[in-house]
Amino acid sequence: MPIKLLLIYCCIAFGITACQSNTEDTAKIKKQTLEPATNTAIDIIAQTLQVKYQQSDNRPSAKCDQQIANGNCYKVNLQLTANNSINYTQWRVYFSQITPIQTAISDEFTIKHVNGDLHVIELSEQFKGFKAGETKTITFYADFWSLSESDAMPNYIAVNNNDYAQVINSTKVTQDADTGLENRPYVVPYTDLERQFKRTKNDKTQWLTAESLYERNKNYDFTAFINNKNSLSKTIAQQIIPTPTKATFSNTATLDVSSGLNFHFNNINTKSVAAAISRFEQLGIQQVKSTAAVSVNLALVADSTQPNGRYTLAIKPDAIYIEAGDESGVFYAIQSLASLYKMGQSTLPVGTVTDQPHYQFRGVLVDVARNFRDKEFILKLLDQMAAYKLNKLHLHLGDDEAWRLEIPSLPELTEIGAKRCFDTTEQHCLMPQLGAGVDPSSSVNGYYSVADYQQILKAASARHIQVIPSLDMPGHSRAAIKAMTARYNYYMQKGDKLKAEQFLLHDPLDTTVYSSVQHYNDNTINVCLESSYAFIAEVMQQVKNIHHEAQHPLTRYHIGADETAGAWVSSVACNTFIKENTLGITKVSQLGSHFIERIAGMLASMEIETAAWSDGLSHTEPQKMPPVVQANSWGLLMWNGHQQAHNFVNQKWQVVLSTPDVLYFDFPYEADPKEHGYYWGSRQINSEKVFQFMPDNLPVHAEFWLDREDNPYVADDTLKVNEQGGVISAPLAKNKAFLGIQGQLWSENIRSNNMAEYKLFPRLLSLAERAWHNANWAVPYNHNGGVYSQNSHHFTKQLKQQRDQQWLTFAATMGLKEFAKLEAAKVHYRIPSVGAKIESGVLYANIAFPGLLLEYQTLDGQWHDYKHPVAVNNDVFVRAKVASGIRYGRMLKVTFN
């Protein structure tokens, strides 16, 4: 008898009690059909479960927690589809979600925040299993906004009660064959401008379509720079990137270098310029030792009054002469020669260049902690930094997600802290934050051995680049904390309590509940434990020794010191320290500054200068810090970030501008949800915006830049004092200046070398331009202060015209000379998108950089070269490609009207 008829019969014959009893039995029978997930079951789930991530609404709603993120949250529909039936229970799915989930709506699933960005989907008691082809949807609401498809992290992990874990295949990224970039097949593309693309109702950001890009590109006409498709105009032939201080060239005379260059080193150490000469050879100009070849005389002029890096380059009709104040100047002069050279040609313009850097500090930060970049990537980057006269590599080696440098006396740091897999105890590896997956040998994992790191140091020395290592502390230190916890557990099991506690970084009795900016609850070193300082001293001595052995002295170290959130409140060690210290520390809020001051003193005793981020340094007392302190200022300009930068300079600290509005290269190039990257400070930082930066005058940008929602903002650079007359903020004092600027490549969602190079290049060339060259269109800083907005007009129309004309030349030089050099070095630079429109059945297309080839795709799927306006009769796609035709830019759709 069918179960349904049997139930009806029971209800009639025996009454409601029997009916209820049999209903419960039936539920038990149904539930029993779901068997606990075995390892094989997890394999099946990983192979067959299809995941789709659809951000559907950024607009605040009643579902948003009004106490969090000012009531802002976004809605996601997470669709789970079973290709085959899934009749298993006792399994769950771990996944990375960059902002915490507030609420999850589902009868059959729950979602919990684990730590950092890691969340877990668990089965509720109502879970009924999946029929073949069945889709179940979990709707969740998460903090803030989601504005880019790259927000949806990959590598969801199916796990059973045995902690057997496998990545769900449908959530893996793939590589696009044409662009070399990541595809996320599990992400549903954005389509709605108002619901999905914008932050708030006041957000004025426009989606950069092919049509709007066409209108923007129309502002720049490159035809004047191109004589024909095979040659450059004289203007481009005479350009050097970065722009020299002064350059004068003949309009007719050239020097033939087809027979190679014969270097006369005189009193120059050949090792100091070998890397620059090697680049010449890579570009196609050979070094020869023949009197018939063109001679390059390198004469070093010792003059201690001349700044480092200054040089004079004279290209004569029959020879080249270089004079400089130091070996770096000679090196840069040779790089300028290489910049003048166009691949495939055989001449250089005759002329004279007198040059020196505008800033002493011209840096690039590469975050290898969140996602690893291998040694070969760093070596290639050093080549390109040197080519464009950048001289500081800030290598971010340690953070919450990993520790990347071998410390021989503390092997746990790399044995455990350098890899993410699936280990809930975190005694063998760290849990898989940032969509890392479960494979400890994947490319996002790894570390530099001492030999690897010393090879990097030696390569940097050969290119006149200083490596500034950073192992963040006391916040952003989870990898180190967990590695030292594993060390503690190991030695405690062996009964060696003294050794177990030697380098312990957390207080086991600390019950403080806190959440860092990246949502960790256990990422902050306890600053009240002497073992924490013993650990730091051990690490710093080891790092110093490694540098010394590589003949690359460790003279400056970046301690991080940023984003320490609410830790230590309930730490027994800290409560004891506050009661017993004689330093005047009476409350927990003083502990962070005490840590920075103590570590800075420790470094000074080791003859190492301290560098740190501005937010941590802002809490210290300058009189308790060493005389030399580097402050990386990362305040947003749109939020008056210039004020803190000025304050640090005025108190005689060395300030390196790391301004997110323009110098965070993990941010997208353009406002398009398919453009990869975080965007909390800006939706769009293209190469032109970096070129526009006036680092000597931060507040003036309010006249022509917009905030992160494309609305005007006001920058107040007037003197501000508190009720006691103390200075809150003030204009930059006269005769004070910034030490330099640094571009940042943070790597939370950068998982491949290709993507990392895409994010760095070609913006790195604009960074080099602003670091080296002081533009004549830049508005001089007003030391008397003022209020800047779109109505203040210090940046005049004439200055804007100068800037835009120089950008036109710069962009043409990149497209017509430098891109080919990047291509030859196998640098995966960003090929720009093509602007296009269809008007009256005719396709018009343009691009921001000349020298690239344009294509359009018709309905039959065929790509055709675009050389001039062409008739079309339907929607088309457009894209650019390199001259060799082996790599393509991202395509955009053009709508037929």
Side-chain angles (χ1 to χ4, degrees), residues 282-355:
Q282 292 167 5
L283 296 178
I285 302 178
Q286 297 301 310
Q287 178 187 2
V288 297
K289 295 181 179 180
S290 167
T291 55
V294 175
S295 296
V296 178
N297 295 301
L298 306 178
L300 179 62
V301 177
D303 185 351
S304 60
T305 65
Q306 298 299 317
N308 290 343
R310 183 171 184 173
Y311 69 88
T312 299
L313 166 65
I315 305 174
K316 305 292 186 181
D318 58 354
I320 301 171
Y321 300 92
I322 292 172
E323 293 184 355
D326 67 348
E327 290 176 338
S328 71
V330 178
F331 185 90
Y332 296 142
I334 297 172
Q335 296 290 17
S336 290
L337 277 175
S339 188
L340 286 168
Y341 177 70
K342 180 182 184 292
M343 294 185 66
Q345 294 194 346
S346 59
T347 61
L348 296 173
V350 167
T352 302
V353 177
T354 303
D355 199 10

Side-chain angles (χ1 to χ4, degrees), residues 629-641:
V629 175
Q630 175 189 312
N632 283 80
S633 179
W634 66 284
L636 286 163
L637 298 182
M638 62 182 175
W639 293 342
N640 284 313

Side-chain angles (χ1 to χ4, degrees), residues 49-69:
L49 187 65
Q50 299 298 309
V51 177
K52 287 293 182 182
Y53 184 104
Q54 180 186 40
Q55 182 269 77
S56 62
D57 206 333
N58 273 317
R59 297 174 300 182
S61 71
K63 298 290 186 180
C64 299
D65 188 332
Q66 301 305 305
Q67 305 302 313
I68 299 177

Side-chain angles (χ1 to χ4, degrees), residues 837-844 869-874 876 895-897:
K837 67 175 183 178
I838 298 173
E839 193 172 84
S840 301
V842 176
L843 172 67
Y844 300 86
V870 60
V872 296
N873 56 16
N874 217 311
V876 299
T895 303
F896 185 87
N897 295 318

Side-chain angles (χ1 to χ4, degrees), residues 233-244:
S233 69
K234 292 173 183 176
T235 303
I236 297 301
Q238 296 174 3
Q239 294 305 306
I240 295 172
I241 294 178
T243 303

Side-chain angles (χ1 to χ4, degrees), residues 239 294 296 334 362 422 491 520 573 638 723 768 805 829:
Q239 294 305 306
V294 175
V296 178
I334 297 172
R362 307 179 300 280
F422 192 87
Y491 283 108
Y520 289 101
M638 62 182 175
E723 294 179 355
Q805 182 58 42
Y829 64 93

